[in-house]
Amino acid sequence: FSKLFFAEPFDKMVQLQVNTEDLDKQARKAAKKAAKKAAKLAALAAGEPTSPTTDSIMSPLSVSSTLSSGSTKKEKKDKKDKEKDDKKKEKEDKKKKPEKESLKDKIKRENEEAMAAKVLEKEKKRWKTFQTQLDRNNRTAIRQIEVDFIKKCENNGVALEARMYLLQLRSNIWKDYCNDVETNRTYIDACMVLVAIRDIINHHMNDLQKPHKTEILDTLLRMGLQDGATSAAKELGIACPATPVQKIIDVGMSMTTLQMEHMGHLLARPISDLKDDRVGFRPDLWQHKLLDVIDNNESALVCAPTSSGKTFISYYCMKKVLRTSDDGLVIFCAPNKQLAHQVKADVYAHFRSKTFKNPPWTLYGEYTNVWENVETCQILITAPEYLQTLLTNTKLYASISKRLQYLIVDEVHCIDELENGALWERMLMMTRCPFLALSATIGNIDEFHGWLQRCQDVVRKHDEEEHKGKVKRDYKVHKVPDGEEVKEITRWSDLQKYLYIPKTPEEQSAWKECRPKIQKTAFGVDTFYPIHPCSCVTSQGLATTGFPGDLGFVPRESMVLYGTMAEACESNATVKKRMQELHPDNYFKSLTAIDQKKGRAFEKVLKQELRVWSQDPALQPFCDATLDKHRQQLEGALTRAKVNGACQYEQDSEEWLAEHLIHLMTSLAAEDKLPVLIFNFEETTCENLCEKVVDFLEAKENAYKATPEFKKKMNDLAKRQKEAEARMKKHEKVLNNKKDEDSTEQDDMLDLSDLGDLREKDVLPQFSFIRAHEGEGLDEEELADALKRVEKHFPQDHVLYRCLTRGLGVHHFGLPYGYRQAVEVLFRAKHVKAVISTETMALGIHMPCRSVVFAGDHLQLNPLQFRQMSGRAGRRGFDPLGHVIFFGVPESKINRLMTSEIQSLKGHWPLTPALVHRLVNLYIHPGCKDKVQRRIKNQMSSLWLAPLIQVTMPGEDARANSEAVLQRTTAQVRQYFGTVIDTLMTNGLLAADGETESFSDMAGKLYLWDPSHFTFLVMLKEGVFHRITEKYRPVTTHEKFTEARDWVEARTQTNEQCVESLLLLMCHILGRREIHRSVLYDKEIDSESVHQVYLPNLTKEMQGAIQGFHKRTMDCFTAHVINAAREVEKEGLTEALPLSRIVFNKAEPEECSGILAEMAENTVDYEARSPFSALTGRGDVYETQDEMTLAVRDGIYVDSEMIPSVEFKDTSMANDGQLLLNAAVFDYQHSSSQDDVLKWNGLNYKESWEDLDRFMRFIVRVDRIFTIFEQPPKVPGQPTPDEDKEVEAKTPLLKCWKDLLARCQEAYSHADSKALSKQEKKKSMKYTTAKKPKRPPLIKRDPRAVRRR
């Protein structure tokens, strides 16, 4: 019986019975009160006068009855009809026999009531005790109540009392502030009083009694908020006190003004009314639709602002697959490895409780630079470049494609990136399963959604063919949010933009002379000038396109805009009347509390009104006056910043940023705007800025430690420590004698904590950004564990280690992964409060910060990057307001960043030679079954049936002529697919017969080095490497002692020459970083120097083999562009000169006369070449990739990356000389100092490391392939395997390659980025910045710059 009906054991029944009797007494009393109250209400309804006691407890119902006395006849009639219906229902309810409560339900109810009373008593005692332990400081006490009591309170009534006590504390804080401060008042404490009132009403509206309501109204009246008290009285259902209350804490403004100007970031956020059991929160409508999409196994494109709540759907999708199966696969594709590792940690935290019945299966796997549980996991985290490898893997394709249920693509806007964007595009085109594509910044959302739908339509067509018309899922791609939902969705946290104004020289000198107390510095005032969005727009742009969709205002900016608009239209009575209607006090007249949604509605109304002004010629002067005033204010702030920041360095330079960065960071700390992410796109600049700040703080700290003040303080601490040690010894004696154990234990604990406070710390808190006194940061053990990762890469005296002890970090791709991971961990733990980073921190990494600083201008700082980086500020659940600060960014760039639309996604060429080879190789693989072959064939056709790129003619509207453009693009992609196959088969690199199968397999294993690996394999096939190493023969130990010394030296020299020739050829094939020919005339580069700036020329034999492969390739692609030109001509599209637009018509000689006939006889026929290029007399003969790329006619897409060969001919030279290639890798094999290589070859540390790493990985991969095949493939013209000499002929290449590998490994170990010392690191940075004149100019080609569309 006890187990069935009671939550507590049966032996406590007596206590429960007693509690039940008490509850019965309380119930009888409550029934008497209810009866009296009903009688009074009845008397009031009958019009009888009520006593003062009745008025004092007047309920909301009685108030509404009183107010209705002056209502209309219709309202009275409706009221009588309603009363009749209520009486009729009451009679019917009385006739019904009440259901008899069963014994089981009665016992259960009584037990619940007893437990509730028990909890109430416990919480009352806890609150009473808690009040006695509160800190004397009101702010600290508030934090204690909010965190330690209210969140853990189990009774609403007690929680209400705690919130009312909070209201008193906040009122006292505002009262003290009013008494102390006379000028430069801030109203944040007054706003917190309103927040406390809002929390009371939202959480305890049904529990409020008359004293509570009266206290709320009195508080509002004491603050001078009469309008707020009147509105609150109506909401609370009581009359507003008529007796005037003394305004002892008057804010001096209306309720609306206080909320909009000073409480904008604290306005209540909209909360959805929808309830969904699938998630643990109330989802918005678009989030609810998104859950339905996942449940229906459909695809969706989710484009919502940062911090709007779109990430949850990824984990819901994973949860669904994990619940429904043990072998289903979800692939999460992240834009970079940092985000991939973070997602892996989140997956483990969310789903680690799942267990698998079958041992092989695991929860998660990773395929980035590591291979972890890829074949047996249910959630695979990877990156686009690795996913493409997975989808074209001959061993794993069948199992992966069968298990794959969902693909999640985060930050899908990366599809527009120059380097890896094509990988994202191919990934979405090749996937056969439903997908989720997430992004916050897509400019052409409708076009991109249409392309995704086109991709899924192709998948549906293929599935219908495979399953004979039967499909298992819906192939619709949903755009979420859509329609009106897009307009309603905004950022959870507002973003306030600022311009940093440096301190005046007087302030800087005063600040440098004093001790910089970062925690309480007073120099953070007026250093951040708010940038109003209207200062960046023009009336012309406003009239045509309006405000940019994502250019939002904070509520304060809406109030400022209203003020300037009202001031500008003073002379026009009609407009002035309209603006009076829009006065905030009138617009929000009926509202007590303004929430974020209503504040943004007011912003929208003002924007619409201002745009109407810009479009009406009569009102346009008012618009110009409004915008000019905001612009003048910004220009004045920029002028002040330029004057204050004047120093010996050029403004916006790296030195200028370093000079003022310490002032900016201390100002952020003073205004409580930390943590912060500081973005700069140069890696060396990030490290230099960090070093400058750390050196400055260390110098100031050392100077302070030498002062008498610090020495006196340390002497006092030492004295107190001795006293504490003496007390400790005394307590130990007491403990040994076992006297008064309880008290001595307590004293012992006090002394131990005292000793902990007496220890001298290495870094003083006033010279660090870590707020240890506020409980932030890590304890010593946790910090030591985190710093162990850093010590593996940098010693303790390194600046990148020292900065972490002061709350500052650096993050970019050039740093070791272990260090970057440590910075991320310390930042999330609030130990590191500022991180100077490149774009690595912009893409989705969970690094919530309060502020974002753009330090300096850069070419890569575009509108997309601006939105991605600024979106890191003010993340949902952490900060209600984000701060975006421009530091050293020109005014024109600020205007462009804030007003430019997001760049549209245009796509890339969907195929590469390596991808075509891998797909064909996968299709013809012997182990590939018919069903899998059909899927692979469908994958290949998807790449040309649904391209995102559009091949258009000049001036052609792709939207208006979308079908023709799609057909033209599809035809060229399909034709390109066949051209690559012909090229590879012509050169024996595709498995057409048994003789070339080995080369085809090798090409598949070297695809990451596309297209250089094709040149390597052709030269290997033609025997060039064999002839280079045919004289190579290692000197054995026996020969060293038996042969003559001259013979051994000659043999060694011959071997060195073979290795040197092999190294030179590989550097030409892989090191494709061009260098300008002006280096030949640089006097600083000594021709007799041991350093090689550019690679020496190849031998004629090597050049001949490479040129032969290149010519065969160009012949195949010449046929490709000619066929494409014929297809374009069939469409009737004419080609004209680029400037005059004159159309050339090919005329036959007999149709001309005179000089035209003579010229016609000498013309060269052309089809693919543009008429402008054909004026040179060259027909359809293309010698180089650049010539074909630049010379083909419009309507044909050609890119140098599409051609599977490398060039060695410099077309800019009259004698067709060889291209000059940077010899950094070649030079490093001969130099013992990386510093000299960086100096002479003009590369920075990152570039040199990438080149050497790429070269090294290729050498290692080829060595493994040779090991697998045991010997190099068969070479035409070499002896047959039956002859004994065959092994001798092939052995030299293998041994020479091993020797080359050993040399590269030695160089690789010297250049390992993890082993650099502090001095080497500084030198590498120095050579890449200070000695720029000695750097030879590099040619950095942009593939998009030479495309012909």
Side-chain angles (χ1 to χ4, degrees), residues 24 28 162 335 420 432 444 446 521 709 751 762 875 915 937 957 981 1039 1109 1294:
D24 290 341
R28 286 194 293 270
N420 295 326
R432 323 302 301 168
N444 53 341
D446 293 329
T521 178
E709 177 187 355
D751 287 336
D762 295 334
R875 302 305 300 268
L915 179 61
K937 183 179 178 181
D957 188 359
I981 293 177
E1039 291 173 341
F1109 169 59
L1294 294 176

Side-chain angles (χ1 to χ4, degrees), residues 1295-1328:
K1295 293 186 177 181
C1296 187
W1297 195 271
K1298 293 287 185 183
D1299 195 353
L1300 175 64
L1301 175 62
R1303 289 183 57 175
C1304 292
Q1305 286 177 338
E1306 183 180 0
Y1308 187 92
S1309 62
H1310 285 303
D1312 191 349
S1313 63
K1314 300 178 181 179
L1316 276 183
S1317 65
K1318 176 183 176 182
Q1319 186 176 5
E1320 290 174 333
K1321 185 68 177 178
K1322 283 188 175 182
K1323 286 183 178 180
S1324 64
M1325 292 162 52
K1326 178 180 178 182
Y1327 286 128
T1328 58

Side-chain angles (χ1 to χ4, degrees), residues 181 201 279 346 429 584 613 677 889 1145 1313 1336 1346:
V181 180
I201 295 176
V279 291
D346 292 340
M429 295 167 70
W613 289 7
L677 292 177
V889 181
N1145 295 319
S1313 63
V1346 295

Side-chain angles (χ1 to χ4, degrees), residues 951-1007:
V951 181
T952 59
M953 296 291 290
E956 184 178 11
D957 188 359
R959 293 184 179 181
N961 198 21
S962 59
E963 191 64 29
V965 172
L966 178 61
Q967 291 180 1
R968 186 188 310 140
T969 307
T970 299
Q972 291 191 23
V973 177
R974 184 190 292 112
Q975 184 180 338
Y976 171 79
F977 191 91
T979 302
V980 173
I981 293 177
D982 292 341
T983 303
L984 298 180
M985 293 184 67
T986 301
N987 292 282
L989 299 179
L990 197 58
D993 50 37
E995 293 183 356
T996 57
E997 184 176 357
S998 298
F999 287 104
S1000 180
D1001 291 343
M1002 291 179 67
K1005 297 179 185 300
L1006 298 174
Y1007 72 97

